[in-house]
Amino acid sequence: GIFRFPPCAPTSSLKLTPPLQRPDDWTMPSLIVGIEADVGNRHDWHTWWPRPLQFSQWTIASARGHPVMIDTLRRVVEMALAPLPTPLPSVMERTGPGPFTDAVLRYVRIGWGKTWADFKDLSQDGWRYHLKDSGIWGNIKILSITGFSPGVG
């Protein structure tokens, strides 16, 4: 239903728009991630972010057991069990966006031959592999930076 909070009320009648139509061969992605930082031409990016293009690890949608999630967990555990290097890597490198970004990029590089440079300046539509006329959709959707962190990076 529609909730009304006084003194706010619609000044004109509300009209519902028809739902967007999906292509007939569309399937739901099993992982949705968004770009959190795209450093552009900043030369000091390493003081702010662990990677020049970084995926948000705090807002994602994933199917249980997705390879990216398993790879991220593997990376974090391996770092936690390894002897501590000197100097000690930041939290962003050990458990934050660094390992998650690495796992996402590894997945899209192996699956579709994409590198981080392919996602720089990504359009607002984001990216998802689709082989037209085949019914084949990639199982990952990458949202542009405007989906998670507008104006950052």
Side-chain angles (χ1 to χ4, degrees):
I2 297 176
F3 297 97
R4 185 172 161 216
F5 182 80
C8 298
T11 56
S12 63
S13 62
L14 299 174
K15 294 182 181 177
L16 298 176
T17 59
L20 297 174
Q21 296 297 313
R22 297 179 179 148
D24 292 335
D25 60 352
W26 187 85
T27 60
M28 180 73 73
S30 58
L31 179 68
I32 302 171
V33 299
I35 295 174
E36 182 176 34
D38 182 349
V39 302
N41 294 325
R42 288 187 69 148
H43 299 291
D44 65 342
W45 65 266
H46 57 279
T47 61
W48 300 99
W49 301 284
R51 305 291 180 272
L53 184 113
Q54 174 177 297
F55 293 101
S56 173
Q57 89 286 357
W58 50 267
T59 309
I60 58 173
S62 175
R64 183 183 318 190
H66 192 280
V68 167
M69 303 311 290
I70 292 170
D71 190 29
T72 301
L73 183 60
R74 177 195 59 81
R75 290 168 186 272
V76 171
V77 169
E78 283 180 359
M79 269 193 250
L81 296 177
L84 292 176
T86 305
L88 187 63
S90 72
V91 170
M92 302 229 330
E93 280 291 340
R94 291 178 60 85
T95 62
F100 182 68
T101 295
D102 292 346
V104 171
L105 289 174
R106 180 175 186 249
Y107 189 75
V108 297
R109 184 177 62 246
I110 291 169
W112 299 280
K114 299 289 185 183
T115 66
W116 71 272
D118 293 313
F119 300 110
K120 288 187 66 52
D121 301 318
L122 192 62
S123 77
Q124 70 180 13
D125 294 334
W127 176 85
R128 186 170 181 205
Y129 177 81
H130 180 220
L131 186 58
K132 294 184 191 283
D133 301 324
S134 71
I136 298 173
W137 285 84
N139 70 353
I140 183 171
K141 171 68 175 175
I142 297 178
L143 302 175
S144 68
I145 196 165
T146 57
F148 285 98
S149 298
V152 176

